[in-house]
Amino acid sequence: MTYVEGSHHVTLSVGHAQEDVDFHVKTLGMRFIKRTVLFDGSTPIYHLYYSNANGDPSSVVTTFPWAQAGLFGKRGTNQAREVLLSVPTGSLEYWYKRLIQHNVEVDNLDVFDRRRLAFRHPCGIEYQLVENDNDEREGWTGNGVPREYAIHGLHGVGIHVTTPERMIDFANDTFFSQGQLSEEGDRASFQVGNAKYGNHIELTANVSEDQGTWHYGAGTYHHFAWNLDTLANQDQVKFGIEGAGYTDISELKDRKYFKSVYVRTPGGCLFELAVTHADGGWDCDESPHELGSKFQLPAQFEDQRTQIFEQLEHIDI
């Protein structure tokens, strides 16, 4: 039986590296777990990883800081847009005050009859904090956020589309949607996979904006990754997607910490199908208590360590 377990991580193209670290670590209180580089292409660009206490699949936000390279994107429709993060029920007043104290503008939203907070990364990417009952993932408390308020991990992904029906059909027929479709105004929401949390897809019908960019570029979402659990299951899911006619899908790529394939969905959002394989995981090159303390490189770049490090922005963690 083929399946999606739940979400794995989200990857964003952000602005400068230090402002990204400050936002995720000092403002959102997330754990810094990995400092490495983009595996694709020849331009040295940081790949930075943030998570909850344990780096669980479904808890990780990763970023490429592209401003140093002068590459910028455009937010629009037919593109993933909102980073949805899960926080404990009753924590929004704490987060409202904390965000204001860190000079972050915050809006209160009422979505699907529940309050949530909306704000932006310094590069403009949209974030929302969503309260969830009984989210068992453990928040990180190393940056001054009390345990009862700490971010559990991902709630899901917000995608803007011109034709939501095509994305809903893809999810229903090919990509393991679960439960009932919820609709509210120009929004639709459903869950994907077997997990209890972290796997919400929220679609916003958006015909007023131009097509957003899909290439790397500061200020834009790059992809949302799903946890396929095993390489054998990943293969079967890939075959099923291709067999349904969605052939804009990549070959297997080894990302050291996980192995992945990528598929462009009918709604424009790039999905990654990820597996944390036997030789991977965040602690394959650092012990659990040292995560994020060393600059890591894939083997093919190791002989260029000094040159690459000198080209990248200096960051203080």
Side-chain angles (χ1 to χ4, degrees):
M1 182 180 71
T2 56
Y3 60 96
V4 169
E5 187 61 35
S7 61
H8 193 276
H9 67 272
V10 58
T11 295
L12 313 168
S13 294
V14 298
H16 287 284
Q18 188 64 59
E19 71 178 13
D20 184 66
V21 170
D22 291 346
F23 175 75
H24 286 104
V25 174
K26 297 179 182 178
T27 299
L28 297 184
M30 300 183 76
R31 184 181 183 187
F32 185 79
I33 62 167
K34 197 66 62 179
R35 179 182 355 184
T36 183
V37 295
L38 173 65
F39 278 40
D40 297 327
S42 58
T43 302
I45 294 294
Y46 271 130
H47 196 178
L48 308 176
Y49 292 67
Y50 312 91
S51 79
N52 66 3
N54 301 312
D56 304 313
S58 80
S59 77
V60 178
V61 176
T62 89
T63 63
F64 300 127
W66 278 104
Q68 182 184 19
L71 189 59
F72 296 86
K74 177 183 177 182
R75 290 183 297 279
T77 194
N78 295 327
Q79 180 191 64
R81 286 280 294 265
E82 290 97 15
V83 181
L84 307 178
L85 298 177
S86 174
V87 295
T89 298
S91 67
L92 290 187
E93 282 304 318
Y94 168 85
W95 279 109
Y96 187 90
K97 293 176 182 177
R98 182 179 176 92
L99 290 166
I100 293 295
Q101 289 169 355
H102 284 80
N103 299 312
V104 177
E105 294 185 8
V106 193
D107 290 322
N108 285 286
L109 301 181
D110 184 49
V111 181
F112 298 113
D113 296 323
R114 296 197 70 174
R115 179 191 176 201
R116 59 177 65 175
L117 300 181
F119 55 99
R120 290 177 183 263
H121 187 284
C123 73
I125 294 174
E126 298 136 305
Y127 280 60
Q128 294 180 14
L129 296 183
V130 183
E131 289 186 329
N132 278 289
D133 303 324
N134 304 316
D135 188 333
E136 300 167 0
R137 295 170 294 180
E138 181 182 354
W140 176 243
T141 59
N143 298 302
V145 178
R147 185 177 303 278
E148 62 267 29
Y149 303 132
I151 292 170
H152 290 304
L154 299 174
H155 175 75
V157 53
I159 306 171
H160 286 217
V161 292
T162 55
T163 52
E165 297 82 4
R166 292 181 183 176
M167 191 66 183
I168 292 169
D169 288 343
F170 172 75
N172 287 339
D173 300 338
T174 307
F175 206 71
F176 308 95
S177 67
Q178 304 288 334
Q180 186 174 356
L181 177 73
S182 299
E183 296 183 82
E184 179 185 84
D186 61 358
R187 295 176 188 259
S189 177
F190 54 91
Q191 289 178 268
V192 164
N194 301 326
K196 293 185 290 184
Y197 34 67
N199 57 345
H200 291 261
I201 292 178
E202 294 187 358
L203 302 177
T204 297
N206 181 347
V207 297
S208 63
E209 293 185 277
D210 292 336
Q211 167 76 52
T213 52
W214 291 351
H215 60 67
Y216 290 126
T220 57
Y221 218 113
H222 190 255
H223 64 260
F224 191 84
W226 299 93
N227 180 14
L228 275 293
D229 193 33
T230 70
L231 291 172
N233 180 57
Q234 182 191 59
D235 275 346
Q236 291 303 311
V237 171
K238 180 177 185 287
F239 295 154
I241 292 171
E242 290 175 320
Y246 299 101
T247 55
D248 187 4
I249 192 166
S250 77
E251 73 280 6
L252 183 67
K253 296 180 181 290
D254 189 342
R255 302 313 196 187
K256 184 178 181 180
Y257 308 110
F258 42 86
K259 292 185 176 180
S260 300
V261 297
Y262 300 81
V263 58
R264 183 71 65 181
T265 68
C269 178
L270 184 64
F271 280 175
E272 176 179 345
L273 315 179
V275 174
T276 304
H277 56 95
D279 298 324
W282 314 127
D283 58 358
C284 71
D285 51 17
E286 296 177 286
S287 66
H289 71 275
E290 292 178 316
L291 292 180
S293 64
K294 299 175 182 178
F295 180 46
Q296 303 293 343
L297 284 174
Q300 67 267 30
F301 294 148
E302 191 58 54
D303 62 348
Q304 305 172 52
R305 171 175 286 271
T306 301
Q307 301 97 299
I308 289 175
F309 189 73
E310 288 176 350
Q311 291 180 63
L312 295 171
E313 299 173 75
H314 174 75
I315 53 177
D316 292 315
I317 308 301

